[in-house]
Amino acid sequence: MGPMRLKYLEMIQAVITRMAGNQTTLRTWSVTLGTAVVGFAVNNSAHPKAALLAVLPAGVFWILDGYYPGLERAFRALYNQERQIADDKPDFAMAIKPLIVEKWIEACTRPAVWLVHLPVIAVALVVGGRHV
């Protein structure tokens, strides 16, 4: 494998690494924001329904958290495809197959994803729903 092909594979790997970092950031924000909103609602007896506000960002983070593994898989497929080519004339294209909805939903329903976001939503609904 030549130096140009190796550089191209390093570029693809950098994108894969960035996708994994984005997932971690999304999960951190989801839990932090959800906890802060629910904590505010619990401590502020005048506005206990404010806990329900945590549902929207947690849901959005959940959807995005499912999107990044799909992208990561697409770039891994590109990496595997490109590493099997012997020539040293890569085109440096980062074109991947479009992420289809079924794969996105599959990623959202994986335990590593829903075990982060569903508890935030459940706690927000329980705390906010007690006072409706």
Side-chain angles (χ1 to χ4, degrees):
M1 185 175 310
M4 296 297 284
R5 176 74 49 194
L6 189 57
K7 189 64 174 169
Y8 182 42
L9 292 175
E10 288 172 0
M11 287 174 53
I12 297 170
Q13 183 59 47
V15 172
I16 293 168
T17 302
R18 192 169 63 238
M19 295 297 139
N22 288 344
Q23 274 187 278
T24 303
T25 301
L26 283 171
R27 291 173 182 179
T28 302
W29 271 101
S30 181
V31 172
T32 303
L33 187 59
T35 304
V37 171
V38 171
F40 170 77
V42 168
N43 289 329
N44 188 350
S45 60
H47 299 290
K49 289 191 279 186
L52 297 174
L53 294 173
V55 172
L56 180 64
V60 170
F61 287 136
W62 189 345
I63 290 167
L64 286 172
D65 197 6
Y67 180 67
Y68 282 113
L71 282 179
E72 185 178 334
R73 274 189 226 92
F75 277 103
R76 286 185 189 281
L78 176 63
Y79 183 94
N80 287 331
Q81 171 189 326
E82 291 295 325
R83 74 181 172 83
Q84 295 174 13
I85 299 173
D87 72 20
D88 195 30
K89 297 177 184 165
D91 61 1
F92 291 93
M94 292 293 207
I96 57 171
K97 293 180 182 175
L99 185 61
I100 57 174
V101 174
E102 290 82 16
K103 294 289 185 183
W104 195 348
I105 292 171
E106 178 187 325
C108 286
T109 58
R110 290 179 181 237
V113 175
W114 68 261
L115 282 173
V116 174
H117 307 287
L118 185 61
V120 173
I121 292 172
V123 169
L125 291 173
V126 168
V127 170
R130 277 189 328 194
H131 303 286
V132 175

